[in-house]
């Protein structure tokens, strides 16, 4: 029987007590196999356990998104500034130079477009093809509370099994339906389910109230999704707050590639994520880079 009392709001998250990380620098990853940890160490910088991932996978359900119309022109010049690149195999093979040194986080789910119910996804990449493309992690959408919740969770658990077989970590992406509440209670539920069922990393949205309870109650690293385009200061502030509240990094797309000066924005995000630079200072840094370019 479900027990609603068992998930009531409480004060037992110990947000100020970081989880110990014996055996490896990343939370919850110490018992993983060597290949798995090696791949995670390519995505997360072992010096600070943080990452700046650049997400450009939007086309898998919404076509040529603003800023991604020409990945060859708009994104390829940005790639060397990220710690990891999250994208589909189609864009990787067609457009990203194979000499790219950045680790690849490959989207492995798909099947629904913006014209239909988005939670109706399937696995969309064969594990052997992921290995051929030398990916460092696989990413998959999980729709907790969505119409096809069970299917998406099953997709994830299947992918985790395949990933474990070959040493490839899986990043679960918590997807929120249009009419669902985006609050800490929901994201605690979604992130924890993903981790309990085997995800090695969870990507989720920032919430202004209680984000630290989401990171504290998730036993694997959380990276923050960017969401829709915000003014630069707001995006830098969101990234700063997420890191201060326990995120292991960001996986941002539109707030970088839809910025007036994407290279400056990703460099400013890096300052926030890897150097704890305050948002106002990072904005000045962004403006200086932009002025120099002009
Ligand atoms: C959703 C994703 C995208 O990669 C994610 O939305 C990141 O991009 P943005 O920062 O633009 O939200 O996982 O399918």
């Amino acid at each position: 029987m479900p027990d609603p009392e068992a998930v009531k709001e409480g004060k037992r998250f110990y947000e100020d007590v970081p989880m110990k990380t014996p055996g490896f620098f990343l939370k919850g990853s110490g018992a993983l196999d060597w290949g798995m940890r090696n791949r995670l160490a390519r995505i997360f910088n072992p010096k600070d356990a943080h990452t700046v991932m650049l997400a450009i996978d939007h086309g898998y359900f919404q076509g040529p998104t603003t800023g991604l119309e020409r990945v060859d022109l708009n994104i390829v010049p940005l790639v060397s500034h990220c710690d990891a690149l999250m994208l589909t195999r189609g864009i990787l093979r067609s457009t990203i130079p194979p000499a790219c040194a950045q680790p690849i986080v490959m989207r492995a789910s798909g099947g629904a477009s913006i014209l239909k119910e988005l939670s109706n996804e399937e696995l969309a990449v064969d594990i052997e093809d992921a290995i051929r493309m030398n990916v460092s992690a696989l990413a998959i959408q999980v729709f907790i509370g969505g119409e096809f919740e069970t299917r998406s969770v099953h997709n994830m658990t299947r992918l985790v099994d395949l990933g474990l077989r070959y040493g490839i970590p899986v990043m679960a992406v918590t997807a929120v339906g249009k009419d669902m509440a985006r609050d800490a209670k929901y994201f605690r539920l979604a992130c924890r389910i993903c981790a309990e069922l085997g995800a090695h990393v969870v990507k989720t949205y920032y919430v202004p109230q209680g984000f630290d309870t989401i990171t504290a109650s998730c036993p694997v690293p959380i990276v923050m999704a960017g969401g829709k385009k915000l003014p630069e200061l707001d995006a830098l502030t969101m990234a700063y707050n997420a890191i201060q509240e326990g995120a292991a990094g960001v996986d941002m797309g539109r707030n970088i590639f839809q910025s007036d000066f994407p290279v400056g924005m990703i460099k400013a995000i890096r300052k926030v994520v890897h150097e704890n630079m305050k948002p106002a200072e990072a904005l000045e840094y962004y403006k200086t880079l932009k002025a120099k370019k002009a």
Side-chain angles (χ1 to χ4, degrees), residues 21-41:
T21 60
F24 195 54
F25 66 92
L26 271 185
K27 177 172 160 177
S29 314
L32 297 174
D33 187 45
W34 193 95
M36 191 77 91
R37 284 187 283 172
N38 178 259
R39 287 187 172 91
L40 287 168

Side-chain angles (χ1 to χ4, degrees), residues 55 57-58 60 86 107 141 173 203 226-227 251-254:
D57 59 325
H58 307 58
Y60 91 97
M86 181 195 184
R107 167 154 297 281
Q141 216 79 346
V173 181
K203 167 172 165 172
D251 182 15
M252 296 173 82
R254 289 164 286 179

Side-chain angles (χ1 to χ4, degrees), residues 112-211:
S113 78
I114 40 169
L115 306 177
K116 292 273 180 101
E117 166 55 42
L118 287 179
S119 65
N120 189 8
E121 282 195 343
E122 300 280 355
L123 283 181
V125 174
D126 193 295
I127 192 73
E128 285 179 5
D129 203 30
I131 295 165
R132 257 193 298 277
M133 289 178 286
N134 196 29
V135 307
S136 294
L138 291 158
I140 185 157
Q141 216 79 346
V142 178
F143 294 83
I144 300 302
E147 191 175 335
F148 291 89
E149 173 185 71
T150 303
R151 177 178 300 177
S152 73
V153 170
H154 179 75
N155 290 341
M156 186 200 82
T157 53
R158 175 88 185 109
L159 193 66
V160 167
D161 286 334
L162 291 167
L164 284 169
R165 192 177 299 165
Y166 298 104
I168 303 181
V170 169
M171 179 170 83
V173 181
T174 63
V176 195
K178 279 194 200 97
D179 304 322
M180 287 163 55
R182 289 175 170 237
D183 57 15
K185 189 174 178 184
Y186 172 77
F187 287 118
R188 282 197 301 265
L189 174 77
C191 293
R192 181 62 172 261
I193 289 174
C194 293
E196 295 261 357
L197 292 175
H200 305 103
V201 178
V202 178
K203 167 172 165 172
T204 200
Y205 289 94
Y206 183 74
V207 289
Q209 299 296 322
F211 186 76

